[in-house]
């Protein structure tokens, strides 16, 4: 599918801001389209859609020319521009090889002029994160196959303690920031599960709770799908956004049990609700205590702390 073009919303270089790899330099690509909408985030009554306020729905999408100029909305999905068709004119299109080159280009700076994943200064690897939208929808899986093929034939950076350079420009780890509802295609699974696949495959699964995101369980919670990920790679995490209410924590415990019963043993990370810094600060301490007292890991959103309420960070 070398000539096929894929629709994406952003390619940027930052850090990983959440979960296990917080703080690691990461190249990001965000694909367009998602099977969930998560309009319940930030709402007073997440389980009552008739009460929702949705700023993205009222926003004039033609008032901006770049994704980076969009606001971060406090209610509804914080990345609704990656699936709402009203924003599609802001998206880019490129082949897998072109996307691979854009990923390399975004990592270029005075310290890494070639855009190597293996950084020439630190001799540490940048990671690659595939997000969305939903990065495991079929078109995004196909895009990754093409991106990986292109990166595999690009020369890479210096190999530690040798005078040699890597024959390919590949990350040490690839993270998929997924909602955990999309089965892996045979071609994708064959690549990532192969001993010839050099990066770590890390599935960062963020199941969406009915009491938080307003997504019904039968649509949003797919333990059998996440078990497929787990069988491909034991490296990953279950990452939940939760607030302070009893109903949210009761649902969380039920859902975690469903994943455990399905044989998914990824560690659980908890993040406080809120797309913006001010909403997160309002509940972060209480949510953290509720999480660690239950034995769950706690994550903030480091990118929001460092860069504020901004897209592309």
């Amino acid at each position: 599918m070398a000539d096929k073009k894929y629709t994406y919303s952003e390619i940027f270089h930052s850090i990983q801001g959440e979960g296990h790899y917080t703080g690691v330099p990461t190249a990001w690509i965000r694909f367009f389209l998602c099977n969930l909408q998560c309009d319940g985030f930030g709402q007073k009554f997440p389980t009552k859609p008739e009460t929702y306020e949705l700023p993205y729905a009222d926003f004039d999408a033609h008032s901006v020319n770049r994704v980076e100029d969009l606001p971060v909305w406090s209610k509804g999905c914080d990345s609704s521009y990656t699936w709402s068709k009203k924003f599609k004119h802001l998206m880019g299109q490129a082949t897998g090889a072109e996307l691979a080159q854009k990923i390399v280009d975004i990592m270029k700076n005075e310290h890494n002029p070639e855009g190597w994943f293996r950084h020439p200064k630190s001799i540490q690897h940048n990671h690659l994160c595939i997000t969305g939208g939903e990065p495991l929808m079929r078109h995004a899986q196909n895009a990754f196959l093409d991106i990986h093929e292109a990166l595999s034939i690009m020369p890479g950076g210096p190999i530690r303690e040798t005078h040699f350079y890597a024959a390919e420009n590949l990350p040490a780890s690839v993270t998929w920031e997924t909602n955990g509802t999309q089965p892996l295609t045979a071609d994708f699974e064959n690549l990532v599960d192969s001993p010839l696949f050099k990066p770590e495959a890390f599935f960062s699964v963020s199941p969406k709770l009915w009491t938080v995101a307003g997504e019904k369980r039968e649509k949003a919670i797919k333990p059998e799908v996440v078990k497929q990920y787990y069988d491909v790679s034991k490296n990953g995490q279950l990452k939940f956004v939760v607030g302070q209410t009893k109903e949210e924590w009761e649902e969380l415990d039920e859902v975690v049990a469903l994943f455990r019963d399905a044989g998914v043993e990824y560690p659980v990370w908890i993040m406080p609700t809120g797309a913006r810094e001010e909403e997160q600060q309002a509940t972060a301490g209480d949510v953290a205590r509720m999480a660690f007292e239950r034995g769950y890991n706690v994550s903030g959103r480091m990118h929001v702390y460092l860069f504020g309420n901004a897209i592309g960070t």
Side-chain angles (χ1 to χ4, degrees), residues 134-148:
E134 171 45 50
L136 288 177
M137 294 184 78
R138 183 176 291 268
H139 67 280
Q141 293 187 49
N142 290 338
F144 176 74
L145 298 179
D146 290 350
I147 290 169
H148 177 265

Side-chain angles (χ1 to χ4, degrees), residues 102-117:
K102 289 176 184 292
I103 290 168
V104 169
D105 288 344
I106 204 68
M107 291 190 292
K108 291 179 179 178
N109 58 54
E110 63 177 311
H111 305 291
N112 186 10
E114 301 298 327
W116 288 327
F117 278 102

